[in-house]
Amino acid sequence: MRRADARVTNVRCIDCALRRKRLFRPLSGDELTAIQAMKQQHLTVSAGTDVVRSGEPVRICYTLFDGWAARYHQLKSGARQILDVVLPGDAIALDSVLLGAGTHSVHALTLASFCALDGKQLVALLENEPAFAADVLRTQLENERRADARLTMVGRLNAEERVGYFLVETFERLRRRGLTDATQCAFPLRRADIADAVGLSKVHAMRALRALHAHGLADVSKGSLTITDPAQLAAHVGFVPLPTTRRAIL
Amino acid sequence: MRRADARVTNVRCIDCALRRKRLFRPLSGDELTAIQAMKQQHLTVSAGTDVVRSGEPVRICYTLFDGWAARYHQLKSGARQILDVVLPGDAIALDSVLLGAGTHSVHALTLASFCALDGKQLVALLENEPAFAADVLRTQLENERRADARLTMVGRLNAEERVGYFLVETFERLRRRGLTDATQCAFPLRRADIADAVGLSKVHAMRALRALHAHGLADVSKGSLTITDPAQLAAHVGFVPLPTTRRAIL
DNA sequence: CGTAATCTTGACCAACGTCAATGTTCGTGG
DNA sequence: CCACGAACATTGACGTTGGTCAAGATTACG
């Protein structure tokens, strides 16, 4: 749970390759100018760093530019629940800018870089650009649908299904960002992270991975995930991809 | 899983007592006029009715006016996961208006009445009234925080804690709407509903209820919930109430 | 008053968690 | 390049939590 260790570089929003991907809705010129104006820095942190900590009041929100992160809750008992994996293009801490001190923490899973945006200006943009706010709302509603599905997964599937679900869901999200090939992608999570994401113990998550491997459905090793037949795995665990919508990217 | 059985009455938004509660942010005159204009009907359904069904394309969204409802997922295996309890003032199917056919169903737990709002006009309002869209976004972000907490509850708490958490969380939401007294409130859920909300079997949810009762923490009987000491129960299960913010009501 | 739904409970079983030991990988300093 | 240690992965043995089945009690309602 290290902190800081941040390096700073810079990328201009207009030159940003990430926001050109088809998954993201292109911003209007005005919006892009406003976003560029509120961008405070481009910072890079090493794996293991906490980017945001629950309870700390924040005037800044971030867009993950490169690498992986995880939103999580830490309980007093020591248990941890990973709420969601954060992938490039996802917003971080938007809630704390609009609602005050955050309720979750965010942890870099790999070397990761972020665009830091000034909260005040972002709120101003939301409250003045109608189409922009509606768009962010749409993206947020899509996040809610994914969250609903994850709750069902944790509440109603068995160990093998939960892990399988988590793997295909993540694979599918990466695929839409052009970060996979047909059956493979990077997968920097440790066993303990997988367990904390699906509500299992580390040992039992391990057993579930073995079962998936034995069934020829998925394999996680050396930081990469292979899914022989994504459609088959999806069917096996009851994963239904959400219809593609273009997401707002800040 | 009955359907229809709808009666129609009418209440004008300007006269609506619900939206005057402190929990909700008062709308500007313009906003209220626009909402009134998009209100198509005020409909009432009996307990057990499905108000919204997943997969059906919807051009209407609803505000629960009176009674209780539940958002849920139904799996092919027959298992059901209750995603959230819907209380008076909560929006229903907002997502399907902005994103297309819904992914969850909504079920009336009691005799319940709803305001039906025209989707097209609502989208227009969101895309033209900047402050309004920002406000709905804020409410949606607050919902996400509650959803995060529920995921942690289902993923990381034991049976007694899960049920206790669900009870206080619901109690607290009702309290903010002025629908409880100090230690009691209506509670129309069946045992099976509680089980489906917290990811347990009906029998085991039963055992958890007994444990809570034995510990003098909570009692559910004859359609009402008694929590002797809400703060104590909250502490027992690790429930932390979110800071109060004024919610958007449509 | 009768029937169906729901609640409640006990007995038993399976899924998942815990503990602990061993293997593996990877980064670091020599 | 090699030796070492720390972090992580893997596995087996065993305990516990929660699921399943089934029967009887109670309640709601026509």
Side-chain angles (χ1 to χ4, degrees), chain A residues 71 73 75-77 79-84 94-104 123 126-131 133-145 147-152 154-157 162 192 195-201 235 238 242-243 245, chain B residues 71 73 75-77 79-84 94-104 123 126-131 133-145 147-152 154-157 162 192 195-201 235 238 242-243 245:
Chain A
R71 290 198 309 122
H73 276 175
L75 305 193
K76 277 164 300 184
S77 66
R80 183 178 69 144
Q81 176 69 44
I82 290 187
L83 303 168
D84 200 6
L94 182 58
D95 63 309
S96 62
V97 158
L98 281 157
L99 295 174
T103 57
H104 60 260
V123 173
L126 285 169
E127 291 184 340
N128 293 314
E129 277 306 325
D135 236 54
V136 173
L137 177 59
R138 236 183 295 269
T139 301
Q140 189 54 36
L141 288 166
E142 184 180 296
N143 289 349
E144 186 194 32
R145 288 185 169 186
D148 286 347
R150 283 199 306 279
L151 181 64
T152 301
V154 173
R156 289 298 181 215
L157 302 187
R162 287 192 225 177
D196 288 348
V198 301
L200 293 171
S201 69
L242 293 175
T245 57
Chain B
R71 288 197 310 122
H73 276 175
L75 305 193
K76 276 164 299 183
S77 66
R80 183 178 68 142
Q81 176 69 42
I82 290 189
L83 302 167
D84 200 6
L94 182 57
D95 63 308
S96 62
V97 158
L98 280 156
L99 295 175
T103 56
H104 60 261
V123 172
L126 285 169
E127 290 185 338
N128 293 314
E129 277 305 325
D135 237 53
V136 173
L137 177 59
R138 238 183 293 271
T139 300
Q140 188 55 35
L141 288 166
E142 185 180 295
N143 289 350
E144 185 194 33
R145 287 185 170 186
D148 286 347
R150 284 199 306 280
L151 181 63
T152 302
V154 173
R156 288 301 181 213
L157 302 187
R162 284 192 227 180
D196 289 346
V198 301
L200 293 171
S201 69
L242 293 174
T245 57

